[in-house]
Amino acid sequence: MADMYNNRPVNDEVNGGLAGLDEAKKDLEIWKIKAEKADDVKSRLIVEKLEEDEAKEKAKQEMLALVEKNNEYQKDFAQSLSSVQDEIGKLAKRKQDLLDKLMRCQAELEAKRAESTKLKQKFKIYALIPDTEVRFTTQDTEETDDNSQPIRGVFTISQRSTVFLQGGQALITFEEEKVASQILKIAKCAVSCDNKSLDVKPKRISMDPVVKFEVHINVSRKEIKVSNVPPSMPEERVRDRLEMSFSRPSRGGGEVEGVEYDANTGTGHVTFLHPGVAESLALRGRHHVDLDSDVNVQVGPIYKYKLRKFQTFCGFPKRTILLDDIGDTSDEEDLQDHLEIHFQKPSNCGGEIESIKYLSGGKAALAFFCEEERDE
């Protein structure tokens, strides 16, 4: 019994040591697991660090490539900018050269115009023709030959120069050219009107080209044209009926030399043997023809015309000037009187006025010039 009691503490100590060993083992296992987890985390972190380092290196390489490309682009841009600036400089120089050339050409043109004007004045011929007695005679010819000749006429068509006059403008025609030239040298003229001063601008008048030509007409004395002939019969029969109808003296006809007829157009030609018949029939304008029924056809003269001596004229009036920018400060007639008084005074570089016309605001008119006022 005594041994038993003496051995009980020893067993308790052994049991307690075993329990502590088990606890230590358990702790060791826990720490092993933690160490393994830490190793796993460390490995993962190392791998992530390597990946980040690789991505960082790749980004660095990309950034270096972009920087290099940027430098290349800047270099190309600088070269392009330099070439564009050089091209702009060349174009500016060419523009200046062209402007200088234009000014030289304009100066040459003005010199040529002045030379042309001097030559025109130089080679104008002024001569006095002495009075000479002239006897007009006619050539004796047979009356039949004169009557058989066509009626000839010459008409001269001459277009008159025009200027469109607007409100606030005036036209002044001086008796002398030098007065108009003096006024045109003044940029602005101060005209006194009802205790006010109006600034008007003298301007040279430029007119559009005009034409002049002759129309030569020959009217036949022996032929007439016939129209509105219905194709109610064959052409040959219509031709015979026309000859018969125009041969009757009772209807104003006469002996027919020949007849032409076109069924497609319903027109024809009738030629008489003697002059005079065609004239009387053409003056009537109508004639009765026996076809299937009595038809009233149209009759007219036959004429030929030519255009000759076609000429164009351009220039400006030497004695007439245009006054522009005239303000409406008084009545139209009163202001016209003030303008006339101002430009008649020699102290204002004026002179005798042949005619003047002023239009107030809101009006318009067309001014016509005769040939002697046009500088051809």
Side-chain angles (χ1 to χ4, degrees):
M1 288 297 288
D3 293 334
M4 290 178 61
Y5 285 115
N6 291 331
N7 291 334
R8 185 174 296 171
V10 175
N11 291 334
D12 291 337
E13 292 175 359
V14 171
N15 291 332
L18 292 173
L21 183 60
D22 291 336
E23 289 293 332
K25 287 181 178 180
K26 288 181 181 179
D27 292 337
L28 180 61
E29 292 296 330
I30 291 171
W31 284 107
K32 283 182 178 180
I33 292 171
K34 289 182 177 180
E36 290 177 357
K37 289 182 178 179
D39 289 338
D40 292 340
V41 171
K42 180 181 178 181
S43 299
R44 188 174 67 254
L45 291 175
I46 291 172
V47 171
E48 290 179 354
K49 182 177 181 299
L50 292 174
E51 291 178 351
E52 291 296 331
D53 291 340
E54 184 179 357
K56 181 180 178 182
E57 185 65 24
K58 185 177 180 181
K60 183 179 179 181
Q61 295 296 330
E62 290 179 354
M63 185 183 69
L64 291 175
L66 290 174
V67 171
E68 186 178 356
K69 284 185 178 180
N70 185 32
N71 293 333
E72 291 178 358
Y73 289 153
Q74 287 182 350
K75 184 178 179 181
D76 294 340
F77 175 75
Q79 292 177 353
S80 300
L81 180 62
S82 178
S83 63
V84 169
Q85 288 177 346
D86 293 341
E87 189 69 24
I88 291 174
K90 291 178 181 178
L91 291 176
K93 185 176 181 302
R94 179 170 177 78
K95 178 183 177 182
Q96 187 62 38
D97 293 341
L98 290 175
L99 289 175
D100 294 341
K101 185 177 180 181
L102 177 61
M103 292 180 66
R104 290 195 303 270
C105 291
Q106 287 178 344
E108 292 177 1
L109 179 61
E110 291 297 329
K112 293 291 185 183
R113 285 178 176 172
E115 184 180 359
S116 175
T117 303
K118 290 181 180 178
L119 291 175
K120 285 182 179 178
Q121 295 295 331
K122 180 179 179 180
F123 290 104
K124 279 185 177 179
I125 299 174
Y126 299 93
L128 295 176
I129 301 176
D131 295 336
T132 305
E133 293 184 1
V134 180
R135 179 179 296 178
F136 295 93
T137 60
T138 59
Q139 184 178 1
D140 295 333
T141 55
E142 295 183 1
E143 184 178 359
T144 56
D145 293 337
D146 290 339
N147 293 334
S148 63
Q149 294 297 321
I151 302 173
R152 293 183 174 89
V154 179
F155 301 91
T156 301
I157 310 299
S158 181
Q159 182 184 4
R160 298 180 67 181
S161 302
T162 59
V163 171
F164 185 69
L165 189 63
Q166 298 179 346
Q169 294 180 338
L171 287 176
I172 297 182
T173 301
F174 295 96
E175 292 185 357
E176 296 181 359
E177 297 178 7
K178 64 178 183 179
V179 178
S181 300
Q182 292 172 358
I183 297 296
L184 289 173
K185 294 178 182 179
I186 306 174
K188 286 185 178 181
C189 298
V191 179
S192 300
C193 180
D194 296 335
N195 298 324
K196 295 181 181 179
S197 180
L198 296 178
D199 289 335
V200 298
K201 297 179 180 179
K203 294 182 178 180
R204 187 182 298 278
I205 300 173
S206 59
M207 296 183 293
D208 295 332
V210 295
V211 298
K212 181 179 180 181
F213 57 91
E214 292 182 354
V215 180
H216 292 243
I217 299 179
N218 292 338
V219 182
S220 176
R221 294 176 181 266
K222 298 172 64 176
E223 294 178 299
I224 59 171
K225 65 178 180 180
V226 183
S227 56
N228 296 335
V229 181
S232 58
M233 305 172 68
E235 282 192 26
E236 190 66 30
R237 293 187 61 189
V238 172
R239 194 177 295 111
D240 294 339
R241 292 297 180 91
L242 288 173
E243 183 176 357
M244 292 174 57
S245 297
F246 283 102
S247 297
R248 295 181 178 178
S250 58
R251 294 186 177 181
E255 189 174 353
V256 176
E257 184 177 350
V259 176
E260 296 179 5
Y261 171 70
D262 186 359
N264 296 324
T265 60
T267 60
H269 268 181
V270 179
T271 304
F272 295 95
L273 187 61
H274 303 288
V277 180
E279 295 180 52
S280 61
L281 290 174
L283 291 174
R284 293 181 182 179
R286 294 284 179 177
H287 189 75
H288 293 283
V289 178
D290 296 327
L291 297 177
D292 289 344
S293 59
D294 191 8
V295 179
N296 195 13
V297 298
Q298 189 173 353
V299 179
I302 292 180
Y303 57 88
K304 298 178 182 179
Y305 64 90
K306 293 181 180 180
L307 298 182
R308 293 181 178 177
K309 296 183 180 181
F310 189 88
Q311 298 172 310
T312 58
F313 302 89
C314 62
F316 58 89
K318 294 181 178 180
R319 297 187 294 114
T320 302
I321 63 172
L322 175 69
L323 299 179
D324 200 2
D325 294 342
I326 305 174
D328 292 334
T329 58
S330 61
D331 183 68
E332 182 174 297
E333 294 184 1
D334 292 340
L335 185 52
Q336 180 171 309
D337 293 339
H338 285 295
L339 291 172
E340 186 173 3
I341 293 171
H342 177 86
F343 287 101
Q344 276 182 339
K345 294 180 179 179
S347 59
N348 296 327
C349 299
E352 291 298 325
I353 295 176
E354 183 177 305
S355 62
I356 180 172
K357 180 59 181 177
Y358 164 70
L359 288 183
S360 58
K363 294 183 178 181
L366 197 62
F368 291 88
F369 290 84
C370 59
E371 288 190 10
E372 64 179 8
E373 180 63 12
R374 183 178 61 208
D375 181 27
E376 299 180 353

